[in-house]
Amino acid sequence: MESERAILAFAALAQSTRLDVFKLLIEHEPHGLPAGEVAKRLGVPHNTMSTHLAVLSRAGLIGAERQSRTIIYRVRLAAVSELASFLVQNCCAGRPEVCEPLLAELSPCCPPATVKNEPVHD
Amino acid sequence: MESERAILAFAALAQSTRLDVFKLLIEHEPHGLPAGEVAKRLGVPHNTMSTHLAVLSRAGLIGAERQSRTIIYRVRLAAVSELASFLVQNCCAGRPEVCEPLLAELSPCCPPATVKNEPVHD
DNA sequence: TCCATATGTCGACGATAGTCGACATATGGA
DNA sequence: TCCATATGTCGACTATCGTCGACATATGGA
């Protein structure tokens, strides 16, 4: 991931409403939410929300899919992954000993042993 | 990491000069660089750079240490780690199956087998 | 003390971002 | 076709940001 794309992504997330949108859509993976629902749940006018969704979309962090009259927005997990990699890879460049503590802190988030075929109670 | 701190960090990195500073300081881990050196290497006036360093510092991404007349800036790797965790943890919340592909892409950055006691040629 | 070096702070300017009313477009049903 | 619903675009306003000249502060040496 080149710096220009990373800056777009960082800028998109550096705003409270958009960060809230990001979190909300993450919670609604993998089904996503219609634009209007996002606006209603966060108490933001639909046109303001449309602008924010466009920013997140241009940054590649979310994607849109039309379903009849509504447009469903979903997080693009690959983009999130790339952004996290960008953060960490800049640290790793030539210095694995610097990167090690970073990955050590990230790993407990998803214990590999419990990830496989562990049903999620919903 | 709460959202407010994350927004400060994202905003700090969402600017080309500051992202360049971040990368430059990462390359100079663990010794760091004096403020004047950072300004000179990136071709930015010292007072403009001072402002940018202050933004990165307020965001907690870098730290400063006085050494006689110069002030050495270094990346706070713990903050980088927290920010990466923030990105990924939002995805993991209750959904480890969503997080797995993210960590899978991050891991090859630092192959665990080569991290231990591998001398770095400098 | 006086001066040079290193860095930070202030103030003003132009540029960009966030908000929202008003209007435009797209879809589906009567 | 006409209307209601869902979403996007435009334009204007205010607020905040990035830049940099000028000045201020801090440190060490003569």
Side-chain angles (χ1 to χ4, degrees):
Chain A
M1 176 182 255
E2 69 280 21
S3 293
E4 205 173 326
R5 276 188 66 81
I7 286 179
L8 274 179
F10 286 138
L13 295 175
Q15 208 277 338
S16 57
T17 301
R18 287 195 295 265
L19 187 54
D20 287 342
V21 170
F22 181 74
K23 289 170 157 185
L24 183 63
L25 291 181
I26 287 284
E27 289 170 17
H28 287 269
E29 273 296 300
H31 303 301
L33 275 183
E37 262 299 300
V38 176
K40 194 180 298 176
R41 296 204 189 200
L42 298 182
V44 173
H46 86 275
N47 56 347
T48 299
M49 184 53 75
S50 181
T51 304
H52 286 310
L53 289 170
V55 171
L56 285 163
S57 195
R58 256 181 277 130
L61 290 169
I62 65 175
E65 190 192 351
R66 176 140 231 154
Q67 274 187 18
S68 103
R69 271 187 296 194
T70 72
I71 296 184
I72 309 294
Y73 282 94
R74 280 193 51 194
V75 172
R76 294 191 59 242
L77 291 173
V80 179
S81 181
E82 283 174 31
L83 190 57
S85 290
F86 180 86
L87 257 180
V88 177
Q89 278 182 13
N90 273 295
C91 306
C92 287
R95 286 173 177 74
E97 80 281 6
V98 158
C99 181
E100 193 178 14
L102 301 190
L103 283 176
E105 182 165 331
L106 285 176
S107 300
C109 168
C110 271
T114 63
V115 169
K116 301 256 180 193
N117 307 324
E118 195 77 10
V120 178
H121 305 291
D122 210 358
Chain B
M1 175 181 255
E2 69 279 22
S3 293
E4 205 174 325
R5 276 188 67 81
I7 285 179
L8 275 178
F10 286 138
L13 294 175
Q15 207 277 339
S16 57
T17 301
R18 287 195 295 264
L19 187 54
D20 288 342
V21 170
F22 182 74
K23 289 169 156 185
L24 183 62
L25 290 182
I26 287 285
E27 290 170 18
H28 286 270
E29 273 294 302
H31 303 301
L33 275 182
E37 261 301 299
V38 176
K40 193 180 298 177
R41 296 203 189 200
L42 298 182
V44 173
H46 85 276
N47 56 347
T48 299
M49 184 53 75
S50 182
T51 304
H52 285 310
L53 289 170
V55 171
L56 286 163
S57 196
R58 256 181 276 130
L61 291 169
I62 66 175
E65 191 192 351
R66 176 140 231 154
Q67 274 187 18
S68 103
R69 270 187 296 193
T70 72
I71 296 184
I72 309 293
Y73 282 94
R74 282 193 50 194
V75 171
R76 294 192 58 241
L77 290 173
V80 179
S81 181
E82 283 174 31
L83 190 57
S85 291
F86 181 86
L87 258 181
V88 177
Q89 279 182 12
N90 273 295
C91 306
C92 287
R95 286 174 176 73
E97 80 280 7
V98 158
C99 181
E100 193 178 14
L102 300 190
L103 283 175
E105 182 165 330
L106 284 176
S107 300
C109 168
C110 271
T114 63
V115 168
K116 301 258 180 194
N117 305 327
E118 239 349 93
V120 178
H121 305 291
D122 211 358

